[in-house]
Amino acid sequence: MPTPFASQSHRHVKKEKGMGVVPYLFVAPYVILLVIYGIVPVVYAFLLSLSHPDGSFAFLDNFIQVVNDYRFLTSMKNVGIYVVIWLSSLLILVVLLALLTHQAFQHFSKIARFVYYIPGALAGAASTLVWMFMLDPSVSPVSSFLNSIGIESFAQSVGPDKLPWIFAVIAFWSGAGGWIIIMYGALNGIPHEVIEAARVDGAGMFTTATRIQVPMILKWIAYMLIMSFATGTQLFVEPQLLASATFGGVSESWSPNQLSLVYAFHYADFNSAAALNMILLIISLIVAIIVIRKIKLFEVE
């Protein structure tokens, strides 16, 4: 005859078994969407990149054709400069603003976080249109400033040497707010006792930030860099809109993703377009692996 304790233990074990399924149910929708919209397209692009248009095996022919294209290195250089500027600004300004919001702006941190996030409410294309108006001296509210630095036309505002900076500003303006809020949340995860112990030991705001807070959110910073690098290499909307607005003033192959579009829909060469995108994916994976190994991102402390 089962005792009350045995019956209670049996129910507890049964409950634990039931709970064991719950985490899988939570992640299942993400895994399904990841397979449909992430893994399957990548596998399809990989197979396309190794094939000729007639379906025969091409091995590396499409990759060689893309790399030998005179526009390939120029587009990679353009995006490389843009990514360096953007990631540098993210690394410095996002962490600095998150620290200031957490330490110095505590009394109005809710307002600060709301203000940071407002630009992120605009979609990428809308953000680009806003900045196109801002940079056009004929309609810009800061036309006096633009004229004072010698810019009198929209074509001058979006000169080739200024484009990486302009795209970095647009990307920072529209995307930094979300990362500031994420970093703020990570800073809130640091035990209060640790911060108090540092203050008791005489650590000021700067020492606390550099010796305790930044090292303790380093994995979040690494995560931001990985995601932002992958996003940056896929730059497309901003140069594409500027190319249309300037009637060819900005090249339609300014970024690798634009060059991929040219291959796919101007030349109907989807295989070379797939090869170009596989190159971008490989570069992003290499950078992600380096950062993950360097920061030990997945190690449990």
Side-chain angles (χ1 to χ4, degrees), residues 68-281:
N68 287 332
D69 190 318
Y70 70 95
R71 296 164 294 187
F72 174 76
L73 286 180
T74 303
S75 65
M76 294 296 285
K77 177 187 171 187
N78 291 336
V79 164
I81 296 172
Y82 154 73
V83 168
V84 168
I85 296 169
W86 183 39
L87 292 188
S88 301
S89 62
L90 276 181
L91 187 63
I92 297 170
L93 295 178
V94 164
V95 176
L96 178 63
L97 288 172
L99 287 168
L100 286 174
T101 304
H102 190 261
Q103 290 193 19
F105 303 156
Q106 285 186 349
H107 296 298
F108 51 96
S109 66
K110 289 182 180 178
I111 298 174
R113 281 178 282 158
F114 177 71
V115 171
Y116 291 151
Y117 196 72
I118 288 176
L122 291 175
S127 299
T128 308
L129 290 174
V130 168
W131 278 96
M132 284 167 60
F133 281 107
M134 292 292 290
L135 294 171
D136 188 346
S138 64
V139 294
S140 174
V142 293
S143 57
S144 300
F145 171 74
L146 294 174
N147 291 329
S148 68
I149 58 175
I151 296 176
E152 297 180 352
S153 68
F154 185 55
Q156 284 181 294
S157 293
V158 295
D161 57 326
K162 300 183 184 72
L163 289 178
W165 294 93
I166 292 172
F167 296 145
V169 170
I170 295 173
F172 184 86
W173 184 73
S174 59
W179 285 116
I180 292 171
I181 293 171
I182 290 173
M183 293 301 157
Y184 179 84
L187 289 168
N188 280 335
I190 299 175
H192 186 67
E193 294 78 8
V194 175
I195 304 297
E196 279 301 316
R199 287 174 182 165
V200 170
D201 289 341
M205 187 180 292
F206 179 78
T207 305
T208 304
T210 55
R211 298 291 183 86
I212 297 174
Q213 290 176 305
V214 171
M216 292 189 77
I217 64 169
L218 198 56
K219 291 186 176 181
W220 288 100
I221 297 172
Y223 175 69
M224 176 181 71
L225 292 178
I226 292 171
M227 298 300 293
S228 300
F229 182 87
T231 305
T233 56
Q234 297 171 30
L235 183 69
F236 177 78
V237 172
E238 291 84 352
Q240 190 69 14
L241 280 177
L242 278 183
S244 301
T246 57
F247 303 102
V250 176
S251 170
E252 290 187 344
S253 57
W254 193 89
S255 73
N257 254 359
Q258 285 182 284
L259 182 56
S260 176
L261 179 76
V262 170
Y263 272 114
F265 295 101
H266 290 195
Y267 305 150
D269 187 354
F270 291 92
N271 303 84
S272 296
L276 180 50
N277 282 288
M278 290 307 300
I279 292 173
L280 293 178
L281 176 63

